Amino acid sequence: KVIDQMLKNGYADTFALFGKPGARSYVPSSTPLRIDYIFASQSLSEQVVECSIWESAHGEPSDHLPVIADIEF
C-alpha cells in the first residue's frame, strides 16, 4: 500500500524507469520480490541517469540487494 501511495502522489520509482521486470532485491525469496526502492519527485526523476540492483552484494551480511541510482545535478 505504501508503494501505491507514493506512485499515486506523483513520486517515481527510479528502478522502474531503468530496471528489468521481474528483478528482485530480497534474496531469500524464491519468486521475484523487490522490497527496496528509491523514489524521486517527478523533477528529480528527470535527472536520474541510471538505476539498478547491486547484484554483486550477494554474500554480504544482509538478505537485501541494494538499489543504486545515479543522479546528475
Side-chain angles (χ1 to χ4, degrees):
K1 292 185 178 184
V2 172
I3 295 164
D4 290 338
Q5 285 297 318
M6 294 293 287
L7 297 172
K8 182 179 176 183
N9 285 296
Y11 289 92
D13 172 3
T14 59
F15 182 76
L17 299 174
F18 296 92
K20 299 174 185 165
R24 67 183 189 160
S25 67
Y26 184 61
V27 178
S29 177
S30 60
T31 60
L33 179 61
R34 190 163 65 94
I35 61 175
D36 300 279
Y37 292 81
I38 297 175
F39 289 100
S41 65
Q42 290 299 317
S43 59
L44 182 61
S45 70
E46 295 171 6
Q47 296 174 287
V48 177
V49 294
E50 184 179 350
C51 191
S52 61
I53 293 176
W54 186 22
E55 297 289 339
S56 63
H58 283 287
E60 296 295 322
S62 177
D63 55 3
H64 293 245
L65 298 174
V67 176
I68 301 168
D70 288 330
I71 303 170
E72 288 187 357
F73 290 98

